[in-house]
Amino acid sequence: MNANWLNKKNIIRFVVAMFVLFILLQLVPYGRDYANPPATQEPKWDSPATREIFMRVCKNCHSNGTEWPWYSNIAPSSWLVQHDVNEGRSEFNVSEWGRAKNKGDEAAHEVREGDMPPWYYLPPHPEARLTKAEREEFVRGLVLTFGEKVEKGKDGRR
């Protein structure tokens, strides 16, 4: 294979094409719906500490109090942010407590297993990192606030 295609002219073409593609991506209308509907009802938290940790770690995706970061204005990252907020609010939203299908009983399990917050959320949100002690306290508070869904094994037991 001839390596002559990797010359200055082709590199410039590639860079210009990527720049044009990046600009065109900004025209896609998805990822800019920054609605924060009013809160209708919050759960009865077991303690102010549980609520404080939740608001520090989870509120951007699991409440109507999302703080939209600067990168939520730039595609394609805006698409990921919008998708995660939409999905998070639809699964579990403390600003709309009492609605059907609000899966609070899964929250403790997700945090305990390290599935929440997601790994890719942590680098731009270092405040969402939990120490081991915070995680344990938070899981206890989530169980006391929302209960806990019991997972059954294949044999039907816990």
Side-chain angles (χ1 to χ4, degrees), residues 10 32 38 42 63 73 75 112 118 124 149:
N10 285 338
R32 294 197 177 83
E42 266 196 41
S63 81
N73 293 303
R112 184 184 298 115
K149 184 176 184 179

Side-chain angles (χ1 to χ4, degrees), residues 75-141:
S77 64
S78 61
W79 305 343
L80 176 63
V81 172
Q82 186 71 60
H83 174 269
D84 284 354
V85 170
N86 290 350
E87 182 177 13
R89 286 178 177 174
S90 72
E91 293 288 319
F92 173 50
N93 188 341
V94 298
S95 297
E96 298 174 0
W97 202 247
R99 72 163 197 213
K101 297 185 181 178
N102 214 344
K103 299 179 180 178
D105 60 344
E106 296 176 9
H109 175 75
E110 296 289 323
V111 173
R112 184 184 298 115
E113 297 299 315
D115 296 332
M116 287 289 152
W119 66 268
Y120 54 85
Y121 182 79
L122 296 173
H125 301 277
E127 72 281 0
R129 293 187 190 281
L130 294 168
T131 65
K132 184 176 181 185
E134 284 178 316
R135 182 176 306 278
E136 290 170 1
E137 174 188 358
F138 190 38
V139 167
R140 268 193 308 277

